Amino acid sequence: MNKEKTLRITITTFFSIALLGGFFFGYILSEVNKGKELQKLASYQPTTPTKLYDSNGVLFAELYRHKQELLKYSDIPPHVIHAFLSVEDDNFFNHFGIDFLAIVRAAIKNVFAGRIVQGGSTLTQQLAKTILQQRKKTFGRKFLEALLTLQIEQEYTKEEILEIYFNLIYLGHGTTGLSSAANVYFQKDVRDLSIAEAAMLARLPKAPVTYSPFKNPKEAKQAHMVVLGLMAKNGFIPKDQVQKIHDDFWDRYWPVVITQSPSRSTWGAKLNRAPYFTEWVRQILEKELGEEALYTGGLRVYTTIDVRKQEIAEEELRKGLIEQDKYAFGANFRYVGRADRGLVSLYNLFGSIFPVGVPYVTSLDDRQVFRLHLEKEMAPALELLTDFIPSENESSAVKEFQRSSLVFSSNLHVEGAIVTIDHQTGYIQTMVGGSRFSPKNQFNRAMQARRQTGSAFKPFVYAAAIQNRAVGSGTGIMDAPLTTITEEGEGYSPQDISGDFRGMVPLSRALSLSLNIVSVQVLMRTGTDAVIDFASKVTKANKARFPTGPALALGVAELTPYEMALGYSILANKGKDVIPFSVRYVLNQSGTVVYNKEKEVQETLAEEAKNGSIQIIPEATAYIIKQMLIGVAMGGTPTQALRAADKGNYKGESGGKTGSTSSYTNVWYAGFDPKYTSIVWMGFDKSSLSLGKGVTAAGVAAPIWGKIYSRWYNEGPYPLFYPNGRAEEIPADVVKGATCAFNGLSPGPNCPLTGNLFLKPITIAGRTLAVPGGRQCDGDRDHYRSMDLTDFLQRELEISDEELK
């Protein structure tokens, strides 16, 4: 009875296992018979890059996850195939997909080694794994791999399998396929690969990181010798040539790999002539169209950039940054390189009471200065010394010092940014976000870095005052010692960079000379709310970002170069709205428009023109401040820097304004010609660091602007504000007048005249707003230079003590 029961259980178990096995085997067969994996193989196509074109139709960048050229078997040199087969599957042409002898041989070697030193999978099995790589690693998948391997061998010839393998295999650093790898590692076509180069690539499929020549050159060099030995063993190359091939290759290649970035990838090999702009566009398109369409859809993106202008701007900015680095870290580094801004106001206060100079204080202490010089002068010698030191502790310490010092010094480089807007179309024509785009330097300062703008902000203050009829372009303002009270109840005394006072000055001349005390007075006449409202409108920055104290007049508000470019663009565009954009439209592979920002912008502007909101500021206001800024560029602080042959060498017409912040931490030049508005900014990423004592925008930023524009036009012919001698039509609300050129008062019989543009009086709620007139000048040029502001207000303008209070 027990025997019968045992037999029954055995038979039941056998049939159950057989039934389950049959179901499982049937499932595997059904998965294979669906042909999904083989369909992937048969229909495989490389991803098509998205191509970016500039405003002139020039291809300047490509976007893709990986870029491939599909190879044919006949395209691959025999020695390349031999190299891979020697490493991966030397019995490839003799097995049916699974090599049992290789599995046994590998198992024996692994047992004797006590670890896995050799695999037994065939090249066809590797291909099957590549196809199924998205599937989870389960027991069923192993069966599926085996069956798929057999099916591949049944459906394809050996040559076809090799062709597919070389197009799909991953070889590290973002490379999929042999063609991509040949480009990244050697900048070569596959057809031109040498025996030595093929041997280096052949070791990568099993461990792309371990044998990467860029990440681990020593391991790659050792593996290269092993591969050449295997090729010789299999009769593909003469044994007596192995060492020579190895040595000749590494004599040439070693200097290449040790200077390459370990993060080098297919991205580094991409066409990209405007990297900061490309990255900006990539982020926009990824948000608008999605990753899959962007990287695999073969889109054609037509952008607003002018790549020729872009490359000129990049080149001139880079040269300027190199020169400024030399100055900042020159022989007098300790005294000119860095300023402690917190002490400047204190020393200025002492300087206004006692006859003492204002010293410059370095914010790098002795230890930091020592560290910087140690890194520059002694680090190479220390590294050499470690080769003779037996202890690894000292060697590790030196390496750690070098690593940390590299971080320390890499943050002590002058950076910069440039952005250009076509103020008639809104096209962003250039975008330079820093000194050089790299894995460690991708912060786009042109669009994202908020910095104090200094005197480059003053045109917004003056324009707000003109719009509110507080002043005209020729109004006389007193440049004399001034102390006012901030909202916090603290005393505030603005000073000009020259340290002296000019007495009464016409407003246009004050802007050309960038007089700080005059700017504060203009702000006080206008009111901070009116200035903030105006600046917020033209820069499209939130009002909350503008401080309300008197220092607002001197540019303490932090704005990006892009926001400054937008503000100046609206001034240059007769006060009309400018909507900057970087992508015009996008076509898919069939030529259908899938995104059209240019049309959207045009429709928005058309609607604004229809409802009247296109006029961000009155045209009359824009006209007056534009004429004043042209006067600044043609006869003010930046003129020499823009026009001198050894500096900017720009001979065309333009308007603009320099901007330098306290302690020489930022320098700006904001300028426009009849076509384009451009902003140049330079400073440190750490905003408290100084560029060096005496560094001003006129000396550093303005020449870069001039050189860029000069090269854009190849030194002429330059565009004109008023072509064919035709003067720009003066808006109806602008009144032309004259004031005394000495001081901006009403002209007298012995006083030369200067132009005065101001807005017509208007009546609002029964109150008339008009530019106040000045007392008549008696022609004494020096009469107002010796007065302080209180004397002037009381004696010349007849303001009473009560009113003065």
Side-chain angles (χ1 to χ4, degrees):
M1 187 71 178
N2 288 336
K3 289 183 179 181
E4 291 180 1
K5 186 176 181 181
T6 301
L7 180 62
R8 189 165 57 249
I9 292 173
T10 301
I11 293 173
T12 303
T13 302
F14 174 78
F15 279 108
S16 298
I17 293 173
L19 183 63
L20 291 173
F23 279 124
F24 181 74
F25 190 70
Y27 164 75
I28 297 296
L29 285 178
S30 67
E31 285 293 303
V32 173
N33 287 333
K34 287 178 183 178
K36 290 181 180 179
E37 282 71 29
L38 284 180
Q39 285 174 14
K40 291 180 183 178
L41 218 55
S43 61
Y44 178 76
Q45 292 291 330
T47 58
T48 306
T50 287
K51 297 180 181 292
L52 274 62
Y53 300 88
D54 81 345
S55 57
N56 299 310
V58 176
L59 176 66
F60 70 89
E62 294 177 318
L63 297 174
Y64 49 81
R65 289 198 183 97
H66 58 265
K67 184 181 180 182
Q68 291 174 259
E69 173 197 354
L70 277 186
L71 297 169
K72 295 180 180 179
Y73 180 77
S74 59
D75 295 330
I76 308 169
H79 57 264
V80 175
I81 296 173
H82 295 155
F84 276 81
L85 291 182
S86 294
V87 177
E88 300 297 330
D89 191 353
D90 58 4
N91 196 36
F92 175 73
F93 284 100
N94 299 318
H95 62 64
F96 57 90
I98 300 174
D99 191 343
F100 291 108
L101 289 177
I103 294 173
V104 172
R105 186 169 60 247
I108 293 172
K109 285 190 176 182
N110 293 338
V111 168
F112 278 104
R115 57 190 178 89
I116 297 176
V117 294
Q118 184 175 326
S121 62
T122 66
L123 186 144
T124 313
Q125 285 177 289
Q126 292 180 43
L127 181 58
K129 290 177 182 178
T130 300
I131 297 169
L132 298 173
Q133 63 183 346
Q134 298 301 325
R135 292 175 176 264
K136 293 181 179 180
K137 292 183 179 181
T138 61
F139 184 71
R141 180 186 136 163
K142 301 301 291 183
F143 278 94
L144 190 56
E145 282 179 5
L147 290 173
L148 184 57
T149 298
L150 297 176
Q151 192 166 21
I152 290 172
E153 288 279 348
Q154 182 180 4
E155 294 290 332
Y156 295 95
T157 66
K158 291 289 186 177
E159 289 76 12
E160 288 173 334
I161 292 172
L162 284 173
E163 181 179 304
I164 296 168
Y165 173 83
F166 281 119
N167 280 309
L168 290 183
I169 194 66
Y170 180 72
L171 295 169
H173 292 276
T175 61
T176 298
L178 188 58
S179 178
S180 177
N183 184 40
V184 167
Y185 290 105
F186 303 113
Q187 295 79 57
K188 278 189 174 183
D189 187 277
V190 171
R191 301 161 187 83
D192 300 324
L193 289 174
S194 66
I195 291 174
E197 290 164 344
M200 201 212 76
L201 293 175
R203 200 65 185 92
L204 293 171
K206 288 284 179 64
V209 175
T210 302
Y211 298 115
S212 162
F214 303 141
K215 289 182 178 292
N216 300 299
K218 291 183 179 179
E219 288 79 357
K221 187 175 181 180
Q222 292 170 359
H224 184 256
M225 190 66 179
V226 173
V227 176
L228 289 173
L230 291 173
M231 292 179 71
K233 177 184 176 182
N234 292 323
F236 296 138
I237 58 174
K239 291 184 179 180
D240 59 355
Q241 291 293 308
V242 168
Q243 191 66 49
K244 185 177 187 306
I245 294 172
H246 175 77
D247 292 342
D248 289 348
F249 170 74
W250 285 102
D251 283 346
R252 296 190 308 271
Y253 198 50
W254 186 259
V256 175
V257 299
I258 63 172
T259 55
Q260 277 290 353
S261 168
S263 61
R264 178 176 171 81
S265 67
T266 51
W267 173 261
K270 289 180 181 180
L271 169 67
N272 194 357
R273 294 170 63 182
Y276 283 101
F277 182 81
T278 299
E279 175 60 16
W280 185 258
V281 167
R282 184 195 67 78
Q283 294 175 22
I284 292 172
L285 294 179
E286 191 173 284
K287 180 180 179 181
E288 296 290 339
L289 303 176
E291 288 188 30
E292 195 63 28
L294 176 60
Y295 296 116
T296 66
L299 305 175
R300 283 175 289 161
V301 181
Y302 292 88
T303 72
T304 63
I305 196 174
D306 184 323
V307 74
R308 186 185 73 88
K309 291 185 174 67
Q310 170 75 17
E311 290 178 338
I312 289 172
E314 286 182 0
E315 182 180 336
E316 292 298 339
L317 178 64
R318 190 171 296 125
K319 287 192 292 188
L321 293 175
I322 291 171
E323 287 300 312
Q324 191 55 38
D325 257 351
K326 289 179 182 177
Y327 177 79
F329 297 99
N332 296 322
F333 163 73
R334 178 179 174 84
Y335 299 100
V336 302
R338 308 288 159 259
D340 182 350
R341 296 174 61 190
L343 296 176
V344 172
S345 59
L346 179 62
Y347 278 104
N348 281 337
L349 177 60
F350 278 115
S352 66
I353 302 173
F354 305 105
V356 296
V358 180
Y360 234 71
V361 182
T362 174
S363 64
L364 292 184
D365 58 26
D366 291 339
R367 179 173 178 172
Q368 291 171 321
V369 173
F370 170 76
R371 183 177 190 172
L372 189 69
H373 284 285
L374 182 64
E375 179 196 351
K376 292 173 64 176
E377 306 297 337
M378 297 183 62
L382 281 172
E383 184 175 11
L384 180 63
L385 185 62
T386 59
D387 294 337
F388 302 97
I389 296 176
S391 172
E392 289 189 3
N393 291 332
E394 286 78 0
S395 178
S396 299
V398 170
K399 289 180 179 179
E400 174 60 22
F401 166 76
Q402 289 177 311
R403 185 197 66 77
S404 60
S405 291
L406 180 63
V407 175
F408 173 75
S409 62
S410 64
N411 292 323
L412 294 179
H413 289 287
V414 181
E415 277 295 347
I418 296 174
V419 60
T420 302
I421 299 173
D422 182 329
H423 47 251
Q424 296 176 337
T425 64
Y427 283 15
I428 296 177
Q429 292 264 278
T430 74
M431 184 189 293
V432 187
S435 55
R436 190 180 295 275
F437 190 89
S438 69
K440 295 181 179 180
N441 189 14
Q442 297 186 16
F443 178 53
N444 192 336
R445 297 160 187 83
M447 308 300 287
Q448 298 168 303
R450 295 181 182 179
R451 293 292 184 270
Q452 290 188 353
T453 56
S455 296
F457 187 82
K458 290 176 182 175
F460 303 147
V461 179
Y462 283 41
I466 291 168
Q467 182 174 311
N468 283 270
R469 290 165 173 78
V471 294
S473 68
T475 300
I477 305 289
M478 192 67 174
D479 180 34
L482 170 68
T483 299
T484 184
I485 304 297
T486 66
E487 291 184 344
E488 292 77 20
E490 299 177 352
Y492 176 71
S493 299
Q495 293 186 6
D496 294 317
I497 193 169
S498 64
D500 60 0
F501 306 101
R502 297 174 182 270
M504 284 289 289
V505 184
L507 194 65
S508 57
R509 187 64 179 151
L511 184 60
S512 294
L513 297 173
S514 199
L515 301 179
N516 290 339
I517 296 172
V518 171
S519 297
V520 173
Q521 289 188 71
V522 172
L523 174 79
M524 294 168 67
R525 289 191 180 199
T526 312
T528 54
D529 289 344
V531 171
I532 290 172
D533 181 66
F534 184 95
S536 177
K537 282 181 178 178
V538 294
T539 63
K540 300 185 182 180
N542 192 291
K543 291 182 180 180
R545 287 176 48 198
F546 297 92
T548 57
L552 174 66
L554 307 186
V556 295
E558 295 185 342
L559 297 169
T560 66
Y562 166 78
E563 289 168 333
M564 288 294 286
L566 177 55
Y568 274 74
S569 291
I570 290 175
L571 298 184
N573 195 37
K574 300 182 179 181
K576 293 180 180 178
D577 194 10
V578 176
I579 304 177
F581 60 104
S582 53
V583 178
R584 295 170 59 205
Y585 57 91
V586 180
L587 304 179
N588 62 17
Q589 292 191 70
S590 64
T592 303
V593 177
V594 294
Y595 178 74
N596 196 331
K597 183 66 175 181
E598 186 167 27
K599 182 180 179 182
E600 179 185 324
V601 169
Q602 290 172 346
E603 289 175 349
T604 300
L605 291 174
E607 181 61 28
E608 288 181 356
K610 187 176 179 180
N611 61 34
S613 62
I614 194 170
Q615 206 67 51
I616 301 297
I617 61 172
E619 182 180 353
T621 302
Y623 175 83
I624 295 174
I625 194 63
K626 181 178 176 181
Q627 300 307 309
M628 293 175 70
L629 288 169
I630 292 173
V632 172
M634 303 299 284
T637 52
T639 306
Q640 181 72 7
L642 292 173
R643 307 187 78 81
D646 61 337
K647 293 185 179 179
N649 196 36
Y650 176 69
K651 307 302 182 185
E653 297 180 348
S654 69
K657 184 72 186 72
T658 54
S660 303
T661 57
S662 62
S663 302
Y664 312 107
T665 51
N666 300 278
V667 291
W668 298 75
Y669 188 71
F672 55 85
D673 77 348
K675 291 184 177 181
Y676 310 110
T677 299
S678 295
I679 304 297
V680 177
W681 167 82
M682 289 174 66
F684 282 91
D685 283 338
K686 185 178 180 181
S687 59
S688 61
L689 291 179
S690 171
L691 290 166
K693 186 176 182 180
V695 174
T696 63
V700 177
I704 294 174
W705 192 100
K707 290 175 184 176
I708 290 170
Y709 274 65
S710 177
R711 289 182 61 188
W712 283 356
Y713 299 115
N714 294 318
E715 300 187 5
Y718 296 103
L720 303 174
F721 283 115
Y722 314 118
N724 303 320
R726 176 180 55 84
E728 184 175 356
E729 184 177 347
I730 300 176
D733 286 342
V734 174
V735 177
K736 292 185 69 174
T739 59
C740 177
F742 292 157
N743 46 45
L745 297 180
S746 297
N750 299 317
C751 184
L753 304 183
T754 188
N756 183 25
L757 301 174
F758 57 93
L759 300 184
K760 286 182 179 179
I762 58 173
T763 301
I764 300 177
R767 181 185 172 207
T768 299
L769 294 180
V771 177
R775 155 183 201 133
Q776 189 178 78
C777 176
D778 59 10
D780 184 354
R781 183 167 190 165
D782 296 321
H783 177 68
Y784 299 93
R785 293 183 63 82
S786 60
M787 290 185 179
D788 65 19
L789 188 58
T790 303
D791 287 340
F792 169 76
L793 292 173
Q794 288 185 308
R795 286 166 39 195
E796 296 298 316
L797 299 187
E798 299 177 353
I799 295 178
S800 67
D801 290 339
E802 191 63 31
E803 290 173 320
L804 185 61
K805 292 178 182 179

